[in-house]
Amino acid sequence: MNISVIGTGYVGLVTGTCFAEMGNSVICVDIDAKKVEDLKNGIIPIYEPGLEKMVHENHERGTLDFTTDIKEALAKTDICFIAVGTPMGEDGSADLQYVLAVAKSIGENMTHHMYVIDKSTVPVGTAEKVRATIQKALDARGSDLTFDVISNPEFLKEGAAIADFMKPDRVVIGADNEKAFEVMRELYAPFTHSHERFITMDIKSAEMTKYAANAMLATKISFMNEIANICERVGADVNKVRHGIGSDSRIGYSFIYPGCGYGGSCFPKDVQALAKTAKDYGYTPRILDAVEAVNYDQKKVISDKVIKRFGEDLTGKTFAVWGLAFKPGTDDMREASAITIINELTKRGAKIKAYDPKAEHEAKMHYLKDNPNVEYVKSKYDALTDAEAMILVTEWKEFRSPDFDEIKLRLNHPIIFDGRNQYNRKRLEENGFEYYEIGVA
């Protein structure tokens, strides 16, 4: 099938590349000429395991191309995915300006019937706005061309996006006619050998499904962090509580690990956008508001522990931070807990020596660029030298079984603040460490 994907960010690039991998002819469109040129040369703007190789191979094969010319792309394709960003506005709502700008451009440039698919995470009712925007542009041209608008939300996990796309748990399609469902069923047939994984519904329900899924997962995280905070105060061990409740098949172990808060491009934005939608329709989403409030406070739990141990004035003290990305397997630092922790410590006079295997560039160029008190090092052990304590923020695999003798040797004091509850408290304390974790008194 002939497919265009507008937007070469995380969702757009993974979507276009995976469709190309299955033999479709795909053209990815972006307004950033340098990014397009880089992509043609095999340079991708994000870190996602396996993606760079797949982009290069499909470009060489001729199944994947990149352009800045949307008119050219639309002329050659029948299916067009909108995969541009929907950043969070100041009031928590999703900003649709880029989605609607693409819709306008589609209406101005399409030359035949198009299936226009919302792949970006968008609020309920966006498809109607996309439809109206395209129709307005067609009317301005005096054109009687027809089109369908379809909702196909993505459910990709950063760090495992290719596997998620190639072997999806489910493919959700929202449409208003059977022909549109047939086209999408054919498109996704190589990915969904089980018909149970291809789920059809009305458009608004499909739009809502994405937000509901992310809000549920975020709720589990905040709930467990709230339990962790209660455990600390009553003298219980949240790690044991987690095992106790996770063994219940109705609950399970997924997303009930205590930590220093969730981040990334999805959970924070989607929880707030769904809450804003609810309020716009006259409903107060008390659970969603609580989920976000708990997460906001949770990002300060580790820095609060450091401050409690070392005092409010951290002038002259250096701390090692292991991990900057919001989670392992990605270089994404959007809403990352590391940002809050580092800023809370440095504004009290501390210096930070930070190490992350993938996110250093993002920190330097964007999220911590205005913080002069952060030094970036090339290995986890380099970060420890002359530091008062080590702070684990992101649970990268290389941090799971470190050399604790080396840690003890390099630190000024054998102190670990563990924001992800990765280590064995008993073993560390027997070896002379002070160990602080989440949810344990």
Side-chain angles (χ1 to χ4, degrees):
M1 302 180 83
N2 298 315
I3 304 165
S4 51
V5 180
I6 316 302
T8 59
Y10 186 85
V11 173
L13 190 56
V14 171
T15 297
T17 304
C18 289
F19 277 132
E21 180 74 6
M22 288 302 189
N24 296 288
S25 178
V26 180
I27 303 175
C28 290
V29 182
D30 203 287
I31 60 173
D32 186 333
K34 184 180 186 306
K35 183 191 284 190
V36 167
E37 194 60 33
D38 284 345
L39 286 166
K40 287 182 177 180
N41 291 320
I43 302 169
I44 67 174
I46 58 173
Y47 172 74
E48 178 62 35
L51 182 59
E52 185 171 2
K53 180 174 181 288
M54 193 179 286
V55 168
H56 177 73
E57 289 176 350
N58 280 281
H59 185 59
E60 288 291 304
R61 196 179 295 139
T63 54
L64 180 63
D65 201 4
F66 304 95
T67 183
T68 58
D69 189 344
I70 190 171
K71 186 173 184 177
E72 172 197 354
L74 294 177
K76 296 178 179 178
T77 59
D78 308 299
I79 299 170
C80 178
F81 283 87
I82 300 178
V84 293
T86 53
M88 186 166 56
E90 291 183 7
D91 61 355
S93 63
D95 186 344
L96 295 178
Q97 64 171 308
Y98 304 112
V99 169
L100 297 181
V102 171
K104 181 173 183 287
S105 189
I106 291 170
E108 291 171 341
N109 293 286
M110 60 186 282
T111 57
H112 50 268
H113 184 90
M114 297 290 301
Y115 294 94
V116 179
I117 302 157
D118 286 331
K119 196 68 172 171
S120 303
T121 300
V122 294
V124 176
T126 297
E128 293 175 349
K129 295 179 180 179
V130 168
R131 188 190 309 276
T133 301
I134 295 173
Q135 190 60 57
K136 183 178 179 180
L138 288 171
D139 290 345
R141 293 167 55 187
S143 172
D144 59 358
L145 289 172
T146 58
F147 63 96
D148 287 287
V149 177
I150 300 166
S151 175
N152 173 213
E154 55 85 13
F155 299 98
L156 306 176
K157 297 186 297 291
E158 293 190 44
I162 291 174
D164 286 345
F165 199 103
M166 302 298 277
K167 298 179 179 179
D169 292 328
R170 76 288 205 196
V171 173
V172 173
I173 304 295
D176 58 9
N177 65 82
E178 188 54 39
K179 177 60 177 175
F181 285 128
E182 287 177 10
V183 169
M184 298 304 289
R185 194 174 283 111
E186 180 182 354
L187 178 61
Y188 275 104
F191 306 93
T192 54
H193 297 298
S194 168
H195 292 295
E196 294 176 358
R197 295 186 178 183
F198 189 87
I199 303 170
T200 60
M201 59 186 71
D202 63 275
I203 292 173
K204 287 187 175 181
S205 294
E207 292 171 331
M208 186 67 174
T209 296
K210 168 66 174 184
Y211 279 107
N214 279 350
M216 172 59 80
L217 297 176
T219 298
K220 292 184 73 174
I221 294 170
S222 280
F223 174 82
M224 204 64 207
N225 283 333
E226 184 127 280
I227 295 299
N229 295 333
I230 297 170
C231 284
E232 281 195 32
R233 286 156 177 80
V234 303
D237 183 334
V238 73
N239 300 305
K240 295 173 182 177
V241 173
R242 179 178 62 81
H243 282 294
I245 68 172
S247 59
D248 186 328
S249 61
R250 297 170 301 173
I251 299 172
Y253 288 104
S254 297
F255 290 87
I256 62 167
Y257 289 81
C260 49
Y262 59 75
S265 63
C266 293
F267 289 3
K269 177 170 69 72
D270 292 355
V271 170
Q272 291 183 51
L274 183 54
K276 177 63 166 56
T277 297
K279 291 168 186 175
D280 287 346
Y281 281 82
Y283 180 77
T284 300
R286 288 169 291 179
I287 291 176
L288 295 179
D289 286 344
V291 166
E292 183 61 22
V294 168
N295 191 61
Y296 178 84
D297 290 340
Q298 197 68 20
K299 291 182 179 182
K300 295 183 179 181
V301 166
I302 286 293
S303 55
D304 286 346
K305 290 178 182 291
V306 174
I307 294 162
K308 183 178 179 180
R309 171 61 177 78
F310 288 95
E312 276 286 339
D313 186 0
L314 300 177
T315 303
K317 292 181 171 59
T318 298
F319 296 93
V321 170
W322 282 11
L324 296 168
F326 87 93
K327 71 176 215 176
T330 181
D331 61 352
D332 194 344
M333 281 189 65
R334 284 173 286 187
E335 304 289 333
S337 299
I339 301 169
T340 299
I341 293 167
I342 289 171
N343 286 336
E344 286 295 313
L345 298 180
T346 57
K347 76 181 184 181
R348 290 171 171 83
K351 302 283 187 181
I352 299 295
K353 294 173 75 174
Y355 169 71
D356 188 288
K358 294 297 178 183
E360 178 183 329
H361 178 77
E362 289 295 301
K364 281 182 176 178
M365 296 296 104
H366 303 290
Y367 300 98
L368 293 168
K369 66 178 182 178
D370 297 322
N371 193 328
N373 295 312
V374 182
E375 175 189 353
Y376 301 94
V377 297
K378 295 303 179 185
S379 81
K380 58 182 181 286
Y381 295 119
D382 287 345
L384 303 171
T385 304
D386 296 325
E388 304 297 322
M390 184 268 275
I391 304 168
L392 176 69
V393 183
T394 313
E395 63 276 32
W396 286 95
K397 287 181 180 179
E398 67 173 278
F399 300 156
R400 291 182 184 177
S401 299
D403 184 337
F404 288 106
D405 290 335
E406 184 71 14
I407 293 174
K408 193 172 183 180
L409 181 67
R410 291 194 180 225
L411 287 173
N412 289 346
H413 310 284
I415 303 174
I416 294 176
F417 295 90
D418 186 349
R420 300 297 175 186
N421 290 20
Q422 291 289 293
Y423 302 135
N424 186 303
R425 170 185 284 271
K426 183 179 179 182
R427 187 188 309 164
L428 286 173
E429 290 180 343
E430 286 175 350
N431 283 285
F433 278 89
E434 281 184 52
Y435 181 60
Y436 302 87
E437 58 185 323
I438 305 274
V440 182

